Amino acid sequence: MAALYSHPSAAGILRESTAELRSMAVLDILQFPDSRLRKVAEPVSDFDQNLGVLIDDMIETMYEASGIGLAATQVNVHQRVFVMDLSEDRSAPQAFVNPVISVLDEETDVRQEGCLSIPGFYEDIARPRSVRIDAKDRTGADSSATLDGLAAVCVQHEVDHLDGKLFLDYLSALKRQRIRRKLEKAQKQSA
């Protein structure tokens, strides 16, 4: 799989931002049933320093939350950007800007999915086995990759977020309602 963006370091680096050093920030992750998770993200048009800062902060946030993927929608930024890193040692972060997925294999695999916006819940979800992703990197350069297995699942999951969709939408209404009630109860108890 070709890297669309390789982060210079997987652990908290410092980089220059407007002539001063800036530590990466851990962003707040929206939790279901927050309605902002349903907002459809807009395409990115400015490939500037702000986009680079967002990508770096999203990578840091994903690592801090022990995730393998994070969409900008999940951190209340409604731009078509997501990051992922499937490596065991956090050494291969990637950023995908304005991603478009094409299904290459209609046959599906069932895998257990979880989500940083729906903590503690994992469900079996059927998704196409193989996809192609076309996207831009942080500089606006085009890239594409053919993915299968966990990588295919992850990009489909994250693009769903950008389209205002959650993995819960693949479940029955009864399961969705049960999860919603449990999360609302947990959120009230922690408030």
Side-chain angles (χ1 to χ4, degrees):
M1 168 175 37
L4 295 174
Y5 165 71
S6 292
H7 196 281
S9 169
I13 65 160
L14 296 176
R15 79 183 155 334
E16 291 197 29
S17 174
T18 61
E20 60 185 54
L21 292 178
R22 176 193 173 278
S23 293
M24 288 188 288
V26 174
L27 307 170
D28 290 331
I29 298 173
L30 299 176
Q31 303 290 308
F32 178 79
D34 193 311
S35 63
R36 295 172 290 181
L37 290 167
R38 298 303 189 166
K39 187 170 181 178
V40 176
E42 297 291 326
V44 171
S45 56
D46 295 326
F47 292 81
D48 58 10
Q49 183 179 14
N50 291 332
L51 177 62
V53 169
L54 172 65
I55 288 169
D56 290 343
D57 290 348
M58 287 175 61
I59 290 168
E60 184 72 10
T61 302
M62 174 183 67
Y63 289 154
E64 182 69 24
S66 299
I68 61 170
L70 182 69
T73 300
Q74 293 177 271
V75 294
N76 200 29
V77 175
H78 302 285
Q79 294 185 317
R80 297 193 73 78
V81 178
F82 76 88
V83 297
M84 78 176 196
D85 186 346
L86 303 180
S87 68
E88 292 289 325
D89 63 354
R90 299 178 172 184
S91 63
Q94 297 176 291
F96 300 83
V97 182
N98 298 336
V100 176
I101 293 176
S102 306
V103 174
L104 300 177
D105 186 348
E106 292 293 335
E107 193 168 336
T108 60
D109 279 337
V110 175
R111 289 182 180 257
Q112 197 167 74
E113 289 187 36
C115 181
L116 296 177
S117 292
I118 309 166
F121 291 91
Y122 302 89
E123 297 289 338
D124 289 336
I125 306 294
R127 292 194 186 265
R129 175 177 293 183
S130 179
V131 298
R132 174 187 166 105
I133 185 165
D134 294 291
K136 296 188 179 294
D137 69 11
R138 67 171 53 212
T139 68
D142 292 326
S143 189
S144 64
T146 298
L147 306 170
D148 55 17
L150 182 58
V153 169
C154 190
V155 299
Q156 291 174 81
H157 179 106
E158 300 308 332
V159 169
D160 274 354
H161 275 300
L162 301 178
D163 293 334
K165 191 171 185 177
L166 302 170
F167 84 88
L168 296 179
D169 297 339
Y170 294 95
L171 304 176
S172 70
L174 182 64
K175 275 191 173 183
R176 282 194 307 271
Q177 192 63 347
R178 177 181 53 88
I179 292 169
R180 181 186 191 112
R181 281 194 301 268
K182 286 183 179 180
L183 283 171
E184 286 173 341
K185 183 179 178 181
Q187 289 168 1
K188 284 179 186 176
Q189 289 175 342
S190 68

